[in-house]
Amino acid sequence: MQGNKIVLDLEFTPIRDPDLQAVARSEILEIGAVKLNEQNAVLEEFQTYVKPQYSRVLPRVTVLTGITEETVATAPSYAEAMANFTDWIGSDCRSRFYTWSNSDQNVLLNEADLKEQSLHDMFYTHWVDLQRLHQRMYGFTRQMNLTNALGSMQIYFEGTEHGALADARNTAKILKRLSNLQDVRERIQQSHITYNDSQSHGFTMGLVFKKK
């Protein structure tokens, strides 16, 4: 495609108010993104925490992400964070968003609806779900989480899991690999991992590649 590729990852916390849940079920706590050019070279990175308006950081979210109430106490609001993010993306060329599953897209757009925020038109078009693309290209019967998908491709996870920027960086690795169809085919043929057969649901058979 022409234009930049924005690999995006969000961390978020649930909204408990049932009336608000009718519009949005979560609020963003952190935005992490990697910008790549048409040749998949990394151009820039973006990271910001976001202060929720209607919810608190639940203990289980802190355990998963490391984000606490103190982390986001002085962070920009959703409107400020999205304005900064939009400026970072730039509007001088077309950009396409790449995420691991479509949940990040839904969270981002639903929160905009809840808070009546006007977003740039680009946020409503050109999204690619790499989780689904990975499943289809490798022939798995089930979708994988990010860490297992990296393992299935024999790629090391670098950084801290469930940190938005670290997850975006590792998702960008998958985007680069999936962009080379011939390389994907050759690696599947040469791999010792069992992919999709009657005895496998498409998981990595316990193989997770992660640097210490």
Side-chain angles (χ1 to χ4, degrees):
M1 62 155 282
Q2 294 182 342
N4 292 328
K5 304 172 185 178
I6 308 299
V7 182
L8 171 66
D9 185 80
L10 306 176
E11 303 301 329
F12 40 85
T13 192
I15 293 174
R16 292 298 186 88
D17 187 314
D19 292 331
L20 299 179
Q21 285 181 351
V23 181
R25 304 188 67 85
S26 304
E27 285 188 282
I28 297 170
L29 297 175
E30 185 182 12
I31 301 171
V34 178
K35 182 189 297 182
L36 299 90
N37 63 17
E38 296 175 24
Q39 291 74 42
N40 290 327
V42 175
L43 300 176
E44 295 180 282
E45 295 181 337
F46 178 91
Q47 187 276 337
T48 185
Y49 292 108
V50 185
K51 184 176 181 178
Q53 181 178 348
Y54 300 113
S55 53
R56 297 184 59 80
V57 182
L58 299 184
R60 62 182 175 86
V61 174
T62 297
V63 170
L64 185 67
T65 67
I67 299 172
T68 65
E69 284 289 329
E70 291 72 22
T71 306
V72 297
T74 59
S77 66
Y78 174 83
E80 295 171 315
M82 288 303 299
N84 294 336
F85 184 41
T86 302
D87 288 343
W88 174 81
I89 294 170
S91 57
D92 55 338
C93 68
R94 188 182 74 168
S95 295
R96 179 171 292 173
F97 296 95
Y98 294 81
T99 58
W100 194 254
S101 86
N102 62 5
S103 61
D104 288 339
Q105 177 188 8
N106 294 334
V107 168
L108 187 150
L109 297 182
N110 289 342
E111 189 169 349
D113 288 342
L114 176 66
K115 297 176 178 177
E116 299 181 341
Q117 294 296 322
S118 177
L119 300 180
H120 192 282
D121 289 346
M122 64 183 166
F123 289 105
Y124 297 93
T125 57
H126 308 308
W127 289 80
V128 177
D129 180 352
L130 287 173
Q131 186 183 53
R132 183 177 295 276
L133 186 61
H134 168 267
Q135 178 194 13
R136 289 178 176 176
M137 290 181 68
Y138 277 77
F140 292 134
T141 58
R142 297 182 185 178
Q143 295 179 354
M144 294 183 182
N145 64 32
L146 178 59
T147 305
N148 281 344
L150 287 163
S152 76
M153 304 172 80
Q154 302 184 49
I155 302 174
Y156 289 102
F157 188 103
E158 295 185 278
T160 302
E161 293 179 53
H162 302 295
L165 182 54
D167 282 358
R169 287 169 174 166
N170 285 280
T171 303
K173 292 182 183 181
I174 292 180
L175 169 58
K176 292 180 181 181
R177 180 68 59 82
L178 295 183
S179 296
N180 188 334
L181 183 57
Q182 183 60 36
D183 181 64
V184 170
R185 289 172 175 168
E186 291 176 357
R187 288 178 181 273
I188 290 175
Q189 292 172 354
Q190 298 170 6
S191 177
H192 61 284
I193 298 173
T194 300
Y195 288 91
N196 190 27
D197 58 31
S198 60
Q199 302 301 316
S200 170
H201 293 296
F203 292 101
T204 58
M205 312 303 286
L207 297 173
V208 176
F209 297 84
K210 185 174 180 181
K211 287 185 177 179
K212 299 296 185 181

